[in-house]
Amino acid sequence: MELIFKTVVGVLLLLFFTQCTRKKAAEPNLQNWLDGHFPGRFQVLSTQTDDAIRNLSFKVKKSVVVEAADTMVQSLVRWDLRQPDLKLTTEGVIAQFERAAGEWEDAQSFLKTLKKNGFENISISVRNGRAVVLDFEEPTPERRHKRILQLEKALAEWPVSSNYDKELAFMDTTASDKDFGDFVPLAYWEQADVPYQKQKVISVFCPYNDTFSAAEMAQTWVFNTGSDRFHVFYKKVREELEKWTERHFKNELEPVFEMIEVRQSGEAPLLLIFKIPFVDKSAESNGSDDSHLGYFIIEFDVDRQEVEAIRQLDETPEEE
């Protein structure tokens, strides 16, 4: 009887694991779907979950897919394991890759035009209606001026310029055009933690329906406060402010660095204006509740990479 019981249990376990194996093997995936509808045409390079919080599921995916015949024709394909046919259609995939092929052609012509106009040490990306030039040189005022003049001329010669938003971004010295070669792959932009946000130092942006004018763009450079370089600058500001308060107030006014505000001012020089509240430690010792009495305003010269001025304000200014 015991032998029969063990045999039955063994058979049931075998059936259970067989079913699990079949289910696992039968679970759909994007590569299998593509191979079934487009044999040999596409290759999935990478896959990750597509915003599980927004989709309320880990089964919604996004994959970087390339044409096997030309791997620079790349597109991001979103798919859903919960839906029939992964919520994909052959018509939709074809349309995506027709756009991707057109963007790849435009990228090649764009790079050729840029190099004709003197660009070097760059990588470019043309994707999702956006043409981006990553410049890996130090963004001195002279180089910024030179680059927007060159870009103005290049865009005037690029026949499809009006189809794309345009961005010119100077990258930190920790990055290099050798990281990509001439073209930034789609996979770079689709990383969970895109290094671009930390490596971009300063940039200009022009919408697709505007003409790129160097004179106008010269007034629109934006320093990236999310960059690694900003954190280097902020450390200098903090050190200089602490020295300044020690000299002038014997540290009775204590900066509240957790509540800083930063804005940008001017182009020549390009300044970062730090607004940092302070606590009057002497007021606290006297039992006063009114400890936030004012602000420190610090002007930091981006190009010289040093603090230019520090001043104290007793009230919040309406406009600085």
Side-chain angles (χ1 to χ4, degrees), residues 259-273:
M259 298 175 62
I260 70 167
E261 298 177 25
V262 185
R263 66 178 178 83
Q264 182 179 308
S265 176
E267 160 60 20
L270 177 63
L271 300 176
L272 293 179
I273 311 298

Side-chain angles (χ1 to χ4, degrees), residues 18-226:
T18 301
Q19 288 296 320
C20 289
T21 303
R22 286 178 180 173
K23 287 180 180 179
K24 186 175 181 180
E27 184 174 286
N29 63 67
L30 180 59
Q31 187 65 65
N32 288 344
W33 188 93
L34 291 170
D35 290 343
H37 293 81
F38 307 96
R41 178 174 173 181
F42 297 114
Q43 179 182 354
V44 177
L45 290 189
S46 63
T47 297
Q48 57 185 300
T49 300
D50 181 27
D51 198 342
I53 295 176
R54 179 174 59 84
N55 292 307
L56 300 177
S57 174
F58 288 96
K59 291 183 176 292
V60 182
K61 309 291 184 180
K62 58 181 180 180
S63 298
V64 175
V65 180
V66 301
E67 291 265 11
D70 186 348
T71 56
M72 291 306 293
V73 178
Q74 307 177 349
S75 188
L76 187 71
V77 177
R78 288 181 167 84
W79 48 290
D80 191 338
L81 279 165
R82 303 167 301 177
Q83 301 294 328
D85 259 352
L86 306 182
K87 205 179 179 179
L88 297 173
T89 65
T90 55
E91 296 81 7
V93 171
I94 290 170
Q96 269 192 258
F97 277 88
E98 285 178 348
R99 289 194 298 272
E103 289 177 339
W104 172 229
E105 289 183 6
D106 292 343
Q108 293 174 89
S109 66
F110 188 32
L111 181 67
K112 183 177 180 180
T113 305
L114 290 169
K115 290 193 171 182
K116 174 186 172 186
N117 283 279
F119 276 83
E120 55 187 10
N121 298 324
I122 62 169
S123 295
I124 73 161
S125 170
V126 177
R127 51 178 271 281
N128 296 338
R130 193 180 186 99
V132 181
V133 181
L134 305 185
D135 194 313
F136 297 92
E137 299 175 303
E138 188 63 28
T140 62
E142 296 77 19
R143 188 166 287 123
R144 295 199 301 269
H145 179 67
K146 174 183 176 181
R147 282 303 194 218
I148 57 174
L149 288 173
Q150 291 173 319
L151 187 55
E152 178 183 53
K153 187 176 179 183
L155 289 171
E157 297 174 7
W158 191 36
V160 294
S161 172
S162 60
N163 293 344
Y164 295 97
D165 295 334
K166 281 79 66 176
E167 182 181 17
L168 168 62
F170 280 91
M171 305 295 282
D172 195 85
T173 51
T174 58
S176 167
D177 59 317
K178 296 180 178 60
D179 293 341
F180 313 115
D182 290 335
F183 302 99
V184 184
L186 179 60
Y188 173 78
W189 304 107
E190 297 304 329
Q191 297 177 64
D193 183 17
V194 182
Y196 175 71
Q197 300 304 329
K198 295 182 178 180
Q199 294 173 342
K200 180 175 71 170
V201 175
I202 189 170
S203 62
V204 288
F205 173 82
C206 180
Y208 74 95
N209 54 351
D210 283 355
T211 300
F212 189 98
S213 164
E216 294 178 3
M217 289 295 106
Q219 308 304 315
T220 64
W221 287 103
V222 176
F223 185 87
N224 177 23
T225 56

